[in-house]
Amino acid sequence: VQLTTSNSQLSLSGSGEFLFGGSSVASITSSTLTVNSGTLTTSGSTGVEFVDSSFDIAGGNTFFTDNSQIDVINSHMSVIDGNVYFSDASRVIIHSGSEYSVEGGNIFTEASAVLSVSDSCFVLKQGTVTYSEQSTITLVSSCWNITGGNSVFSDSASYSLTQDSLLSIESGSFLASGDVSIIIDSSRAHVHGGDFSVDGRSFLHVRGDSEVEVEEGNAIFSGEIDTT
């Protein structure tokens, strides 16, 4: 099944359910998809592509499961409220010229789910984002800005900043515990408020002329640190 929209407004509300399943493909161009309440699910090997569009989650429950993939291209993906779950081997790819912002709600990324951010930004303003199990977060020439809320990493999750990426913490927190692997490669971490904590058996790798700067706030490293 293939769904194509252009210059359209799509919304989910009430107790409704919107399912992208099987091997369906959806291309959403110059449009807005808003989840106000109800349930949105992607499953199977579904592919959903947002181009020059907005994907807004303002409530309800949203599930990305199985091998489904979401591509955000020159678009804006935002979570304002509600619960969002990334699980199994699902993938969310934020491409160049896009932004993924969290202004509230709760986001859970687990199993082998992947979040990839390339030439774009993730902005956490409020709410909590949790990464656990073997989930993977990769930033390439991108930024991860925390101005409020909490980024929590646990279990064997991995987080990497590469190719001149930036982790900026103004307020809120970036907390890693368990066996989390954090890589800062040819990139920067700038703490000018809030908390940056790596503890337990977690490992912080700082490589390739990278920089960790603490201007204000707290940086607590009780795990292993490798600067080779």
Side-chain angles (χ1 to χ4, degrees):
V1 177
Q2 183 164 349
L3 169 67
T4 302
T5 71
S6 180
N7 299 303
S8 301
Q9 303 283 330
L10 305 174
S11 66
L12 176 64
S13 59
S15 58
E17 184 169 351
F18 200 156
L19 171 64
F20 294 100
S23 57
S24 60
V25 176
S27 180
I28 299 172
T29 304
S30 302
S31 300
T32 299
L33 172 59
T34 304
V35 180
N36 293 303
S37 59
T39 302
L40 172 69
T41 304
T42 67
S43 64
S45 56
T46 294
V48 182
E49 180 180 83
F50 293 89
V51 181
D52 298 320
S53 296
S54 293
F55 178 26
D56 303 320
I57 300 171
N61 295 296
T62 301
F63 299 91
F64 301 95
T65 66
D66 299 331
N67 292 295
S68 60
Q69 179 166 315
I70 306 296
D71 288 274
V72 180
I73 304 168
N74 199 32
S75 297
H76 185 204
M77 175 175 171
S78 67
V79 179
I80 303 164
D81 201 355
N83 299 302
V84 183
Y85 303 87
F86 301 95
S87 62
D88 301 321
S90 62
R91 298 174 61 87
V92 174
I93 303 175
I94 311 298
H95 295 267
S96 177
S98 299
E99 183 179 86
Y100 173 18
S101 67
V102 178
E103 302 174 27
N106 300 290
I107 298 175
F108 305 93
T109 302
E110 58 192 19
S112 298
V114 173
L115 169 62
S116 175
V117 184
S118 179
D119 290 304
S120 52
C121 276
F122 170 87
V123 181
L124 175 59
K125 300 177 182 179
Q126 204 172 357
T128 300
V129 293
T130 302
Y131 302 91
S132 62
E133 298 181 356
Q134 288 80 43
S135 57
T136 300
I137 302 89
T138 303
L139 280 77
V140 179
S141 303
S142 296
C143 61
W144 186 282
N145 296 332
I146 302 176
T147 61
N150 304 295
S151 288
V152 181
F153 302 83
S154 63
D155 300 328
S156 299
S158 65
Y159 176 94
S160 65
L161 296 170
T162 64
Q163 297 182 33
D164 200 29
S165 291
L166 170 67
L167 166 62
S168 173
I169 305 172
E170 295 180 20
S171 183
S173 61
F174 182 107
L175 309 173
S177 61
D179 292 294
V180 176
S181 173
I182 299 173
I183 298 173
I184 303 175
D185 191 349
S186 301
S187 297
R188 290 191 307 131
H190 186 194
V191 182
H192 38 115
D195 299 299
F196 183 21
S197 175
V198 180
D199 61 19
R201 296 180 301 276
S202 296
F203 210 114
L204 173 62
H205 311 260
V206 183
R207 305 171 179 166
D209 197 28
S210 294
E211 177 182 320
V212 178
E213 178 183 2
V214 182
E215 185 177 341
E216 291 185 31
N218 304 296
I220 303 169
F221 304 118
S222 57
E224 295 188 53
I225 300 176
D226 175 15
T227 59
T228 57

